[in-house]
Amino acid sequence: MKKVLCYTMLLASFSLLQGCSSEEDSVASITEAQQTTATATAVSFDSDVDAFDVSLDTSAFTEQETIPADDEDYVENTTFTKTVNIVFTESGATWDGDVNDTDLTVTATGAHVVVNSTVSDTVAYTVSGSTSNGSLTVYSDRKFQLCLAGAQITNPSGAPINIQGKKRVFVVLADGTENTLTDGTDYSTAKACLFSKGQLIFSGSGRLNVYGNNKAGIRSSDYVVIRPHTNIYVETTAGNGIKGDEALNIYGGVVNVQVSANGAKGLSSDGHVLISGGRTTAIVTGSSVYDSDEADIAGSSCVKADSTFTITGGALYLKNTGKGGKGISVDQQARFYGGTTAVITTGSTYKYSSSLDSKSKGVKADGDIVVSGGVLKVRTTGGDGSEGIESKSVMTVTGGSVQAYASDDAINTASHLYIQGGTVYAYSTGNDGIDTNGNLYLQGGNTVAYGSRSPECGIDTNEEGGYTAYFTGGNLFAIGGGNSTPGNSNSTQGYVTASGSVSKGSVAALFTESETLLVSFTLPASYSSGSMLFTAGGMSAGNKYILTIGESATTVSAQQYGSSGMGGGMGGGMGGGNMPGRR
């Protein structure tokens, strides 16, 4: 961070407050009509990023789904030639259908049912009934359908459903039914309350409730797919919510996950996580914890992907209240292509030792972060180190809406940040709005950044490391204790600087000296006595521009690169008083 520079820039800006009165005549022609136009066309930002909440929502909604004719993950593309019906009772179970004594057998000890299938045919099993001490274990050489049609199964000594076959399992939730699975607190025969060695593919418009008391709620040693129309609720007290070891793909449906164990994850995969539809909510309350086997901290997170995370559609709502907890934690690239992602973390830092800790983050990616569509909204309030969006590599915004509100840096990159389109709003209560440890490339879009008091900045580039800001397009308004400014002739777009105060809901606008409106922003938050930086597409160094904040105005000269001195300040602070000479 350029602590000294930010402080120097702030002092320079306030030293100019006394000299702006000579410019008043040049702004006399900015009329109320022009200000009204600026207000009407102002770029607005979602102002509830500091106040929105996330809660579970199990209500259903209407979804559309197209069935690909050649996709084997869709149960509709498989013909089942044999059927077996299993009905649980409190102390036992009954069954009928294509059961024989050789290659498709069903046995039971009390209400603990075991199916062994070596048939070459595909089998559709339907399970219903209720037991407080039972289970279903399936060994199958082939893929099969498991239709839950009002099944209420509790296994106090193990997993209610344990599938040992390695092929696809189509879990169909029968329309109009509610199904509940509850496991015991101590067992080692399966990895989850509902476990499968093969792929788990959920469909159907019924409801499934899973209560995990020992390990994960739902887990596949392969991948998990959740399709539209499903309604799944998972609550775990000792493990992860839903895990697909190879992948977790949520195409739609209503998914609610609530996890309370320390170090646990709501939605996770050792591979990738994909969200393309539906409404998914994950709430995590467990703290991070020290993992003695790994000699490292195991952080709790709402979403954890050891490979990539991608959202292309639907809605993803996440809340983590645990110490050191993450909203989304990704080992490789995080990609926000569409849909709505809303993340809250409130936990403070988890400290294991003086040299080993875990800080809460809204979105953390060890690789690149890419935003090209949809809405990404993040709030982190855990104090020092609690950053909103953090990339350990490069972050690129080409479209969509990014909103980050944080105790620490709202947006932080270990390398470069490219803003090429979309809207970006970054607000920090205790550090920089945007902090890059590489270059900041402003090439398009609309950006507003608020930093804390000096030496913190609205935008902060790693100048000590030889990096800078490049303005070649786009619009940006930044305010804070100071701001990084371009330091290289490759930055081709002019910028202006000033100092003063702004009020939430006021309009900041830039006009050419000939009174043409360049850009206007409806400011999403207030700030008292800050250092401002403003740039807009088409600005040229050496030209004068009229900067208005609310009903205050001044004329400022545009720079291109090099000098970090501030332009003309607003007498009495921007955002107060009447516009000088306004007709």
Side-chain angles (χ1 to χ4, degrees):
M1 253 189 291
K2 50 174 198 341
K3 304 291 186 184
V4 175
L5 179 59
C6 286
Y7 184 66
T8 301
M9 291 167 66
L10 183 61
L11 290 178
S13 70
F14 284 113
S15 69
L16 293 169
L17 284 172
Q18 310 255 334
C20 68
S21 59
S22 62
E23 303 285 1
E24 291 185 358
D25 290 343
S26 66
V27 299
S29 59
I30 298 296
T31 66
E32 289 186 13
Q34 287 170 312
Q35 280 294 91
T36 299
T37 298
T39 300
T41 59
V43 179
S44 296
F45 297 83
D46 188 345
S47 60
D48 82 332
V49 68
D50 62 341
F52 77 97
D53 200 4
V54 168
S55 59
L56 299 177
D57 183 358
T58 61
S59 62
F61 64 97
T62 301
E63 296 181 272
Q64 301 297 319
E65 183 181 28
T66 301
I67 310 298
D70 57 350
D71 193 329
E72 293 187 9
D73 278 346
Y74 287 78
V75 65
E76 293 86 351
N77 296 328
T78 297
T79 300
F80 297 95
T81 55
K82 292 186 181 297
T83 61
V84 175
N85 301 307
I86 300 171
V87 180
F88 283 92
T89 64
E90 176 56 30
S91 58
T94 61
W95 52 87
D96 59 31
D98 296 309
V99 178
N100 57 56
D101 295 326
T102 55
D103 54 8
L104 181 52
T105 64
V106 179
T107 59
T109 302
H112 294 274
V113 177
V114 177
V115 174
N116 279 280
S117 174
T118 59
V119 296
S120 58
D121 303 274
T122 50
V123 182
Y125 301 92
T126 299
V127 179
S128 60
S130 177
T131 179
S132 61
N133 187 6
S135 64
L136 173 64
T137 301
V138 180
Y139 298 89
S140 176
D141 291 343
R142 296 207 61 192
K143 63 183 177 181
F144 62 90
Q145 174 180 290
L146 179 64
C147 178
L148 300 180
Q152 313 288 324
I153 305 173
T154 295
N155 184 358
S157 59
I161 295 182
N162 181 6
I163 299 166
Q164 291 297 301
K166 296 183 179 180
K167 302 298 184 179
R168 286 181 179 84
V169 180
F170 300 103
V171 182
V172 179
L173 308 178
D175 297 352
T177 67
E178 183 158 352
N179 305 273
T180 301
L181 305 175
T182 306
D183 69 0
T185 58
D186 184 18
Y187 62 88
S188 59
T189 55
K191 297 179 180 180
C193 184
L194 195 171
F195 172 72
S196 175
K197 287 185 175 180
Q199 304 98 320
L200 281 172
I201 302 164
F202 293 88
S203 63
S205 61
R207 176 166 172 165
L208 174 62
N209 305 307
V210 177
Y211 297 93
N213 298 298
N214 182 38
K215 299 180 181 179
I218 296 172
R219 182 172 177 179
S220 165
S221 294
D222 205 296
Y223 61 77
V224 174
V225 172
I226 300 175
R227 288 176 48 188
H229 312 301
T230 54
N231 196 318
I232 298 174
Y233 172 79
V234 177
E235 180 180 327
T236 64
T237 59
N240 299 331
I242 301 175
K243 181 173 183 179
D245 287 9
E246 298 297 323
L248 172 59
N249 301 321
I250 299 178
Y251 299 153
V254 175
V255 180
N256 287 275
V257 175
Q258 192 162 268
V259 173
S260 59
N262 291 339
K265 284 73 176 172
L267 308 166
S268 64
S269 175
D270 297 338
H272 74 257
V273 174
L274 167 67
I275 311 289
S276 61
R279 184 181 69 241
T280 300
T281 305
I283 296 179
V284 174
T285 58
S287 172
S288 298
V289 65
Y290 181 73
D291 185 340
S292 58
D293 292 336
E294 299 292 332
D296 201 357
I297 294 174
S300 67
S301 58
C302 297
V303 175
K304 178 65 172 74
D306 288 0
S307 176
T308 61
F309 166 84
T310 307
I311 179 169
T312 62
L316 178 63
Y317 301 111
L318 309 173
K319 185 175 183 178
N320 191 329
T321 62
K323 285 187 175 183
K326 311 296 189 290
I328 298 174
S329 180
V330 187
D331 287 358
Q332 296 183 22
Q333 191 178 64
R335 302 176 291 210
F336 300 86
Y337 295 156
T340 297
T341 304
V343 183
I344 297 172
T345 67
T346 63
S348 59
T349 299
Y350 171 82
K351 292 185 178 182
Y352 176 73
S353 67
S354 59
S355 60
L356 188 59
D357 61 26
S358 176
K359 300 181 185 301
S360 64
K361 312 278 183 179
V363 176
K364 174 187 174 294
D366 290 344
D368 296 346
I369 294 177
V370 178
V371 183
S372 63
V375 174
L376 171 59
K377 182 162 62 175
V378 177
R379 182 171 76 253
T380 60
T381 58
D384 182 46
S386 181
E387 295 177 324
I389 301 170
E390 179 190 44
S391 168
K392 293 295 187 180
S393 184
V394 173
M395 180 172 175
T396 303
V397 181
T398 62
S401 172
V402 178
Q403 305 151 37
Y405 181 101
S407 299
D408 208 290
D409 297 331
I411 296 175
N412 178 283
T413 63
S415 184
H416 308 311
L417 171 60
Y418 296 86
I419 302 176
Q420 300 170 342
T423 60
V424 177
Y425 170 42
Y427 185 102
S428 173
T429 61
N431 211 322
D432 301 320
I434 294 175
D435 184 4
T436 67
N437 290 285
N439 295 320
L440 168 60
Y441 295 94
L442 183 71
Q443 300 168 328
N446 296 288
T447 300
V448 167
Y450 284 68
S452 187
R453 300 296 173 187
S454 181
E456 315 305 348
C457 305
I459 60 171
D460 182 1
T461 60
N462 181 13
E463 294 170 346
E464 296 94 334
Y467 299 100
T468 189
Y470 292 90
F471 298 158
T472 59
N475 309 309
L476 176 144
F477 175 86
I479 187 168
N483 290 292
S484 293
T485 55
N488 187 297
S489 60
N490 290 326
S491 181
T492 58
Q493 180 171 289
Y495 65 90
V496 298
T497 56
S499 62
S501 302
V502 299
S503 299
K504 179 177 179 179
S506 62
V507 174
L510 268 178
F511 295 83
T512 65
E513 195 174 28
S514 60
E515 306 165 19
T516 299
L517 176 66
L518 293 178
V519 67
S520 57
F521 291 124
T522 299
L523 298 178
S526 299
Y527 197 103
S528 177
S529 299
S531 175
M532 302 182 222
L533 182 150
F534 214 150
T535 184
M539 291 183 68
S540 298
N543 291 340
K544 291 185 176 181
Y545 296 88
I546 302 168
L547 170 59
T548 68
I549 304 287
E551 294 189 347
S552 297
T554 192
T555 295
V556 285
S557 296
Q559 304 174 66
Q560 180 178 333
Y561 71 97
S563 172
S564 62
M566 290 301 187
M570 305 288 284
M574 298 186 74
N578 293 320
M579 184 174 295
R582 192 176 69 179
R583 290 201 283 270

